[in-house]
Amino acid sequence: MLLGLALLIVLERSLDGSIMAGAAENRRLRAEIGLLGARGAEAERLRQEQEDAALHMQVLSGLQRSRPLLAQVLSELSAHLPDAAWYRRLSHGGGEVRIEGLAESHAAVAELMRELSASPRFLEARLAGVTEAAPGLFEFSLVLRLDGMGD
């Protein structure tokens, strides 16, 4: 009977030790799962940052490609502006440049149109309108369709 009692005590302690070891292993595994979850969230955040950076680089690359063309367009516009005219507003969009300006005469507007039409940078130069702003001063609007330039 003593031997049986001793055997039960040994078995109980052995089972308690196994249960405690299993519980410790469960706690360790839960902690590891928590770390893996945090790492997964961090990996997802980094993946999103990488996608955002790639998109940002695409936008910058597009701007860099269009920058020389914009500089060339501005150079053409300034090179062909007669002394008797000046630009008040330039806007760009849809492969076109819209210009609003003032000129001292219809002849100055005609000269500007002739020069811009002859430029290889522009596919088309269209006069949108001319109105007299004051005696001897005319407001004009032009639309230029660009060669090789998108938005």
Side-chain angles (χ1 to χ4, degrees), residues 63 65-74 92-97 121-123 144-151:
L63 289 174
R65 280 193 303 274
S66 68
R67 182 177 175 179
L69 292 173
L70 289 173
Q72 291 171 10
V73 166
L74 291 174
H92 165 258
E96 294 181 337
V97 173
R121 175 61 53 207
F122 307 115
L123 296 175
L144 306 171
R145 195 161 52 101
L146 302 173
D147 179 23
M149 183 160 181
D151 244 342

Side-chain angles (χ1 to χ4, degrees), residues 63-121:
L63 289 174
Q64 281 299 101
R65 280 193 303 274
S66 68
R67 182 177 175 179
L69 292 173
L70 289 173
Q72 291 171 10
V73 166
L74 291 174
S75 176
E76 286 282 321
L77 290 174
S78 65
H80 297 298
L81 185 64
D83 290 336
W86 55 97
Y87 301 127
R88 292 179 62 199
R89 181 175 298 138
L90 301 171
S91 61
H92 165 258
E96 294 181 337
V97 173
R98 285 167 289 292
I99 301 171
E100 294 176 17
L102 295 171
E104 294 175 357
S105 67
H106 284 287
V109 175
E111 179 184 347
L112 177 62
M113 285 295 298
R114 222 178 3 264
E115 291 286 327
L116 293 175
S117 293
S119 169
R121 175 61 53 207

Side-chain angles (χ1 to χ4, degrees), residues 9-151:
I9 291 173
V10 168
L11 282 175
E12 179 190 12
R13 288 184 186 229
S14 174
L15 283 174
D16 282 345
S18 293
I19 290 172
M20 289 175 77
E25 181 67 12
N26 282 345
R27 284 191 299 275
R28 185 187 68 76
L29 288 174
R30 282 191 187 111
E32 219 170 286
I33 288 170
L35 285 174
L36 289 174
R39 286 181 187 162
E42 177 70 8
E44 179 61 26
R45 185 186 65 77
L46 290 173
R47 185 192 61 75
Q48 185 62 45
E49 282 183 15
Q50 183 181 21
E51 285 180 11
D52 292 346
L55 181 61
H56 186 72
M57 290 302 294
Q58 284 178 327
V59 168
L60 289 176
S61 177
L63 289 174
Q64 281 299 101
R65 280 193 303 274
S66 68
R67 182 177 175 179
L69 292 173
L70 289 173
Q72 291 171 10
V73 166
L74 291 174
S75 176
E76 286 282 321
L77 290 174
S78 65
H80 297 298
L81 185 64
D83 290 336
W86 55 97
Y87 301 127
R88 292 179 62 199
R89 181 175 298 138
L90 301 171
S91 61
H92 165 258
E96 294 181 337
V97 173
R98 285 167 289 292
I99 301 171
E100 294 176 17
L102 295 171
E104 294 175 357
S105 67
H106 284 287
V109 175
E111 179 184 347
L112 177 62
M113 285 295 298
R114 222 178 3 264
E115 291 286 327
L116 293 175
S117 293
S119 169
R121 175 61 53 207
F122 307 115
L123 296 175
E124 175 187 10
R126 186 174 70 247
L127 183 63
V130 176
T131 58
E132 188 170 6
L137 193 60
F138 299 90
E139 289 184 36
F140 64 89
S141 291
L142 304 174
V143 178
L144 306 171
R145 195 161 52 101
L146 302 173
D147 179 23
M149 183 160 181
D151 244 342

